[in-house]
Amino acid sequence: MTWGWFVSAGLICGLIPSLNFLSSLAVAACLTPTDPILAAAVVGGKWADEHVPAHIRHLLAAESGCNDGAAYPFLFIALYLMFDAPDVGNAIRDWFVRLWLCAC
């Protein structure tokens, strides 16, 4: 996910020059974990019901949900860095304390 996050942010930053890299990281955190083509084709639909075993469809649906949850820390580190821009150390401390210590 980390590699895809940075690559997606670089592409977004290149395609939308008005966004800075931190804004691109926030957008990329929302776009990177999505797999709508796979989810739509394999998890649901008439073809999937007939050809893909139910346990595989359920496993893929669960993986897709976990993927979306994995984006949460990436989105929030980008947001903390944007809002505490001059003080990176403060942003990382806030991200760690609020996300990892308080939310867990």
Side-chain angles (χ1 to χ4, degrees), residues 55-103:
H55 70 281
I56 298 293
R57 285 184 282 132
H58 295 294
L59 183 66
L60 288 172
E63 183 273 336
S64 181
C66 290
N67 241 359
D68 293 344
Y72 185 74
F74 292 97
L75 174 62
F76 273 79
I77 189 64
L79 292 176
Y80 278 117
L81 288 170
M82 283 187 332
F83 294 129
D84 294 337
D87 191 2
V88 174
N90 188 39
I92 292 173
R93 187 194 74 232
D94 286 347
W95 173 76
F96 181 77
V97 169
R98 291 181 183 165
L99 183 75
W100 294 106
L101 297 181
C102 293

Side-chain angles (χ1 to χ4, degrees), residues 19-66:
L19 286 180
N20 62 19
F21 190 67
L22 285 175
S23 298
S24 298
L25 283 173
V27 174
C30 297
L31 296 178
T32 301
T34 60
D35 46 4
I37 305 298
L38 176 67
V42 177
V43 176
K46 185 178 177 182
W47 188 90
D49 290 340
E50 293 175 7
H51 296 94
V52 180
H55 70 281
I56 298 293
R57 285 184 282 132
H58 295 294
L59 183 66
L60 288 172
E63 183 273 336
S64 181
C66 290

